[in-house]
Amino acid sequence: SLLHAQLQAAARTDPKTGLLNAAAWQREADTEIVRARRTGETLALLIVDIDHFKRVNDTYGHLVGDQVLIGVAATIRSQLRDYDVVGRFGGEEFVVLLPRADVTEARRVAERLRSRIGRMAVPADENMVTVTISAGVAIMSMHGDDLIELLAAADLALYRAKELGRDRICLPATPVPPARRPGPEAAPS
């Protein structure tokens, strides 16, 4: 039974960081979204990306890059509540689901992650490697109602953070509700 438990854990976790892998994270995130919808509670989603990670690998090698990934993952995990859902989404991207978090709480958590990861240092020969992160934040009901919509909104916000110079947190641009968009019937005559 120990081997069975080890195999189950291996199927759910990213071997490098120990966080949930993308598939396991998605299953848990879907469950949390259904629960939040049922209870009417708030929920936030963050996509966190290590800025210029390719430069770390190119300059210091992939073994140091792996240590940076491990350090970022550990820092993220240490800054979250036990019931927050965190996973490695791929490469240098991480995803975090924050049940019962509103926009203020989500920004606060994302900013804390940005600050703590920015102070993290990984030894590499005679150097200390530091990195920054950018993050996109999406809030359920405000930016989307299901996992795909929330991921898309957070991804757009992350792209905006990168465009604006990295090492920052962004939310999606607030869309204008359809009823307020000027249409042909609302145009002045």
Side-chain angles (χ1 to χ4, degrees):
S1 73
L2 179 60
L3 181 59
H4 179 70
Q6 288 173 330
L7 288 172
Q8 272 190 318
R12 293 176 35 82
T13 57
D14 171 61
K16 203 164 281 179
T17 63
L19 299 176
L20 292 175
N21 62 31
W25 180 87
Q26 206 164 345
R27 284 190 300 275
E28 290 200 22
D30 273 329
T31 300
E32 281 298 323
I33 287 170
V34 167
R35 187 198 55 73
R37 221 183 276 134
R38 187 181 67 245
T39 61
E41 291 177 340
T42 58
L43 179 140
L45 186 145
L46 315 177
I47 298 180
V48 175
D49 187 77
I50 302 172
D51 297 324
H52 302 295
F53 184 68
K54 183 180 180 325
R55 194 179 299 162
V56 171
N57 280 334
D58 291 349
T59 305
Y60 301 102
H62 290 276
L63 292 178
V64 171
D66 287 352
Q67 292 307 305
V68 168
L69 288 172
I70 291 165
V72 168
T75 301
I76 290 172
R77 185 72 257 162
S78 75
Q79 297 302 309
L80 299 175
R81 304 166 296 188
D82 289 340
Y83 56 87
D84 293 331
V85 184
V86 60
R88 182 169 176 213
F89 215 48
E92 65 273 13
E93 270 191 349
F94 300 86
V95 282
V96 179
L97 197 77
L98 303 169
R100 297 189 284 285
D102 61 11
V103 68
T104 304
E105 174 72 2
R107 284 182 91 124
R108 189 179 64 73
V109 170
E111 191 54 45
R112 187 173 67 230
L113 293 176
R114 190 191 68 74
S115 172
R116 296 282 162 88
I117 290 167
R119 292 194 307 252
M120 181 189 87
V122 173
D125 297 326
E126 295 162 18
N127 300 306
M128 293 302 275
V129 178
T130 59
V131 294
T132 60
I133 61 163
S134 298
V137 178
I139 310 298
M140 194 164 94
S141 299
M142 187 182 296
H143 303 117
D145 290 318
D146 63 24
L147 185 57
I148 299 302
E149 290 175 358
L150 288 171
L151 282 168
D155 193 49
L156 282 174
L158 172 62
Y159 182 76
R160 199 163 127 243
K162 297 279 190 184
E163 255 184 356
L164 293 173
R166 295 179 165 75
D167 191 19
R168 68 190 65 233
I169 309 303
C170 284
L171 273 81
T174 308
V176 178
R180 297 207 172 160
R181 286 193 186 126
E185 65 282 345
S189 36

